[in-house]
Amino acid sequence: MRRGSSAAAWLLAALLLAVAPGVAGAHPDEAGELYVPWANSIDKQRSIQFMQGSSARAAALAPAAPGSAGMSLVGNSDKDGVTNSDLAFWGNLAYAGNYGGFRILDISADQPRVVTDFACNGPQNDVSVYEMGGKRFLFQSIDSGQTAEDCTSANAPLDTAGHRTGYEGVRVFDVTNPAAPQFIDMIQTACGSHTHTLVPDGDKAYIYVSSYPLGSGITAPEGPGDFRPCSAPHKKISIIEVSAPGGEFGFDLREKALSDDTTPSNGFQACHDIQVFMAKHLAVGSCAGDAQLWDVSDPANPTMGNGEPHTHIRSPSATDRFEFIHSAIVSWDGKTFAIMDETGGGGTAECDGSATDDGFYYFYDVVKPGDAAPALKGRYSIPRPQTPEICVSHNANVIPVKGRKLMSAAYYQGGNTLVDFTDPSNIREVAYADLADDTGTADSWSTYWYNGRIYANGGLNRRGASANRGVDVFRLGGSLGTATKRAKTWRYSNPQTQEAWQAP
């Protein structure tokens, strides 16, 4: 990772990147493919633009050395050979998804201890956890057709049309005994489940499934089991109601359409992710072409359809256009939200320090769903140049502390950043960790605060057989450490759901 220091070596690396074979979008699968074809090729001109400009511009774009400031590595649980994805937490356990299954880690100390490394193939294996009926359940997103519903599965082969004919959707596990997870069922959903958001409702919960008809191994026109059709423009989410009366798991599945005026993206209208802020019954739908604010006072029926009160947040201007709205966060006072534009789909170099023009978090005031769209308040991308490394904003959450608005976020090969957005017109990086050591090199997918530490799950299996980092554990130092000692502690956390009892 950025070990060479000479400008010539860096320019050569950038040029080699520029002439590499074209890639297609976000989130590599087991063969190194990328799922979403909004980046059909890496722009050679972009990769070598600094070669044609001034020496000052070349210096501005020179990659920063690996390192850290304000946050210290205190633990690591390495995981090589797979793409490591999302995280969830319950008590002193962390649930770390990967494309080959999930791990359950004991995080009662700084150094995590592996309780279970559970094999269950299926990209992208994003996870959430919830307790119902005296049991704890884990939910796992599968968005590429599988040969079986259960953990005997492998990725189904591609047919001549590029389809995978197989099972996809949300897998359900009983993880009451973390040392012995048990597969329960797969709930098949249209276009599978790229991500999901768990919305608690007493002794039951709702799972909002985000999916779209694109990518490597797109859903076939028909399939096995309880197959549900998937075709462009899609224009819907799936809603799963789950419960476990007496400990017996059950579910009900339905679909709900997005509004007709959802901004299209690459031929579809669909969501990549949904962030829920329970204190205000607010959801922020990150729907590729735009972001949307929905009312989830009735969690079974978010106000996302035609004629229902919701607000669209569209590209700020003709010269500042969203490429792929990926995910969102909400400040714990409920006054500010940010949406993340995953420029390049996680497959290109977008972090050019002061010269960055893409790959932003965009910050806005929260408005009531149905009100006019708020004005843009500020943008953020990491100030540390990374080109030619693959770098763009990714999964984040907000520290529940009064007086400051602090966001912990992943930036793929740009590592991990801690952002102060207390003043959305003056957003600053106040700490970072972008590591390269004997364990591996930074390639962070999810970076979340949980109960006094920051956890990063990373390694997209694209730096070499042993270069993933797996789960890193950080502590904040100095004044940040002092300030965040007042942060709330949580009984559990599914980072896509900010629950009312957690708000300061």
Side-chain angles (χ1 to χ4, degrees), residues 149-435:
E149 293 180 288
D150 63 16
C151 296
T152 65
S153 77
N155 287 358
L158 291 172
D159 64 20
T160 56
H163 299 137
R164 293 193 198 276
T165 302
Y167 299 89
E168 55 184 340
V170 176
R171 284 194 180 121
V172 185
F173 299 85
D174 183 339
V175 292
T176 307
N177 178 357
Q182 297 180 356
F183 171 78
I184 295 175
D185 201 357
M186 174 185 268
I187 305 167
Q188 291 179 255
T189 58
C191 293
S193 174
H194 192 70
T195 69
H196 71 269
T197 301
L198 189 144
V199 184
D201 188 21
D203 59 358
K204 62 182 178 181
Y206 294 90
I207 298 173
Y208 297 165
V209 176
S210 298
S211 56
Y212 43 91
L214 269 183
S216 168
I218 186 173
T219 306
E222 55 185 26
D226 298 323
F227 177 82
R228 302 183 74 88
C230 172
S231 59
H234 197 54
K235 205 179 75 172
K236 61 188 175 184
I237 67 169
S238 298
I239 300 174
I240 308 170
E241 180 183 339
V242 296
S243 61
E248 293 297 317
F249 179 80
F251 72 91
D252 182 63
L253 171 66
R254 69 185 186 91
E255 297 170 354
K256 182 166 183 182
L258 291 164
S259 62
D260 290 338
D261 60 346
T262 296
T263 304
S265 174
N266 296 280
F268 67 85
Q269 295 167 292
C271 299
H272 177 279
D273 196 85
I274 300 164
Q275 187 77 16
V276 171
F277 186 74
M278 298 291 287
K280 287 196 169 184
H281 306 294
L282 174 72
V284 186
S286 296
C287 299
D290 65 20
Q292 302 179 18
L293 303 182
W294 308 335
D295 186 326
V296 292
S297 299
D298 176 2
N301 192 34
T303 62
M304 50 191 278
N306 290 339
E308 297 177 335
H310 63 271
T311 299
H312 294 266
I313 296 90
R314 307 189 195 274
S315 298
S317 70
T319 57
D320 187 6
R321 301 196 64 80
F322 296 151
E323 188 168 331
F324 192 86
I325 297 301
H326 175 282
S327 52
I329 55 94
V330 182
S331 65
W332 280 106
D333 63 4
K335 295 180 179 180
T336 305
F337 73 98
I339 56 175
M340 189 273 276
D341 188 5
E342 191 191 26
T343 303
T348 56
E350 304 293 342
C351 303
D352 293 332
S354 60
T356 297
D357 58 5
D358 268 323
F360 291 119
Y361 275 91
Y362 290 78
F363 289 79
Y364 302 86
D365 289 339
V366 170
V367 299
K368 184 178 179 181
D371 286 354
L376 177 65
K377 303 289 285 189
R379 303 174 181 83
Y380 174 80
S381 187
I382 58 174
R384 296 167 282 111
Q386 304 293 300
T387 302
E389 287 201 326
I390 295 169
C391 177
V392 72
S393 41
H394 212 235
N395 290 352
N397 78 344
V398 181
I399 299 176
V401 61
K402 290 183 178 181
R404 294 181 74 176
K405 298 178 182 179
L406 299 170
M407 176 180 76
S408 175
Y411 260 80
Y412 284 129
Q413 293 177 1
N416 315 285
T417 183
L418 190 74
V419 183
D420 189 325
F421 65 102
T422 308
D423 177 0
S425 66
N426 182 29
I427 304 167
R428 301 173 294 120
E429 180 174 74
V430 292
Y432 77 93
D434 182 8
L435 302 183

